[in-house]
Amino acid sequence: MKILCFAGSNSSQSINKKLVRATMKYFEGQELTLLDLNDFETSIFSIDREKNGYPEVIQNFVQLISEHDAIIVSLAENNSTYSTAFKNILDWSSRFNLKFFAEKPMLLMSTSPGGYGGGNVMNAAKNQFPKHAAQVVETFSLPLFNKSFDAENLEIIDEELKSRHQDTITQFKKSLGI
């Protein structure tokens, strides 16, 4: 099974990328591709720029989704919504192909240093992603990242949250038949 993994952040210290990497450990034996949003940076979307065609990096992003069987993503929350870096990729991708998530099963996650764990961006994505043909199969939100996560060892240290994370992964794997 080919699984595309990424964080909705362009930060070099992204806590969401750390959560994705921790999650990837549970998919041993699968073909995992970890993206860095910095590799898909492009001009800010506008109707005027769209008239000149779609950036090659956006076409590559959409192509990568089509080449994989499933998606694992953890979204950063900036001011209660998507990070600017991810929102721009989302805007360009949805104009290039409205259904760019291509009916791929998705494990949708978020984390933040605060107690809501990126809940605002999670809710936005749960509402919007199906419009772009994502099959959001499972969700997981990790609150209080700095207290709940060991960044050096890439693991959740809060036992209750760790158990919920593992249960979510188990359910997602079952839905994929792995």
Side-chain angles (χ1 to χ4, degrees):
M1 168 113 1
K2 292 177 70 173
I3 304 173
L4 187 65
C5 309
F6 64 94
S9 170
N10 63 346
S11 169
S12 64
Q13 300 299 312
S14 170
I15 61 176
N16 282 279
K17 189 176 233 180
K18 290 173 183 172
L19 178 58
V20 167
R21 289 178 57 215
T23 302
M24 290 170 67
K25 291 197 250 182
Y26 292 92
F27 289 85
E28 188 175 308
Q30 306 308 310
E31 186 178 333
L32 303 172
T33 304
L34 179 61
L35 300 182
D36 184 334
L37 287 194
N38 290 299
D39 295 334
F40 301 92
E41 190 172 309
T42 191
S43 62
I44 296 173
F45 175 80
S46 75
I47 298 295
D48 295 332
R49 289 187 179 119
E50 184 182 30
K51 291 176 185 174
N52 296 324
Y54 299 97
E56 185 177 346
V57 293
I58 296 302
Q59 294 176 51
N60 293 344
F61 181 78
V62 173
Q63 180 65 34
L64 280 166
I65 291 172
S66 73
E67 293 171 354
H68 287 78
D69 303 307
I71 301 168
I72 297 171
V73 60
S74 186
L75 298 175
E77 183 173 294
N78 297 149
N79 297 316
S80 300
T81 191
Y82 307 110
S83 71
T84 303
F86 180 71
K87 179 68 166 84
N88 195 47
I89 291 169
L90 178 70
D91 289 345
W92 273 112
S93 297
S94 66
R95 294 296 290 206
F96 179 67
N97 177 356
L98 179 63
K99 306 289 186 183
F100 72 95
F101 282 127
E103 303 297 332
K104 306 296 178 173
M106 179 183 288
L107 169 53
L108 176 61
M109 302 184 296
S110 63
T111 189
S112 74
Y116 200 45
N120 292 308
V121 74
M122 173 73 75
N123 289 333
K126 285 193 300 190
N127 182 49
Q128 184 175 19
F129 284 10
K131 295 173 185 175
H132 302 298
Q135 292 183 4
V136 179
V137 176
E138 294 292 332
T139 62
F140 176 78
S141 178
L142 179 65
L144 304 170
F145 181 85
N146 297 324
K147 291 181 180 179
S148 305
F149 194 87
D150 177 348
E152 185 176 319
N153 294 308
L154 295 174
E155 65 182 354
I156 298 171
I157 54 176
D158 178 284
E159 289 302 321
E160 180 183 334
L161 292 169
K162 183 176 186 173
S163 178
R164 283 196 351 226
H165 182 242
Q166 290 173 340
D167 289 347
T168 299
I169 291 168
T170 298
Q171 292 305 312
F172 185 62
K173 288 170 77 173
K174 280 182 185 177
S175 77
L176 299 177
I178 56 174

